[in-house]
Amino acid sequence: MRRTKSEPVGELLRAFLRQQGLETPLNEYRLIQGWEQVVGPTVNRYTRDLHIRNQTLYVRLISPALKQELMMLRRSYIERLNAYVGAQVIADIVFV
């Protein structure tokens, strides 16, 4: 028996997640889990809370000096975090 319409499992899984409305929450979860890998352990040490709302990543920092430095690098972090996930998950970062 020969199958003519075979598709990779990854494609089928992505289509299923999209159809069920689970793709965006999964990508948001992956982005938050990848925060430390993208920014490094030093920056992560000063991070207390991360959450995403309306394509904006909110990051609570405990160092005002670090907050100022990260504001200047915000565009770079947006690109790197989205590349880590492989999708356009966030459009902005707000450091609180």
Side-chain angles (χ1 to χ4, degrees), residues 37-83:
Q37 268 190 312
V38 172
V39 300
T42 305
V43 172
N44 189 56
R45 201 171 310 131
Y46 295 98
T47 302
R48 291 296 175 248
D49 184 34
L50 294 159
H51 66 278
I52 298 173
R53 188 179 321 134
N54 298 330
Q55 288 192 320
T56 301
L57 175 63
Y58 293 88
V59 180
R60 174 163 287 148
L61 298 170
I62 59 171
S63 169
L66 181 62
K67 178 180 174 183
Q68 189 65 30
E69 183 178 336
L70 293 180
M71 285 297 289
M72 293 185 285
L73 299 171
R74 184 172 57 185
R75 272 291 134 213
S76 171
Y77 281 130
I78 291 170
E79 291 172 6
R80 290 171 51 193
L81 286 164
N82 284 328

Side-chain angles (χ1 to χ4, degrees), residues 1-9 11-12:
M1 177 182 256
R2 181 176 264 210
R3 296 182 181 186
T4 57
K5 287 189 168 186
S6 63
E7 293 183 44
V9 173
E11 298 274 331
L12 294 172

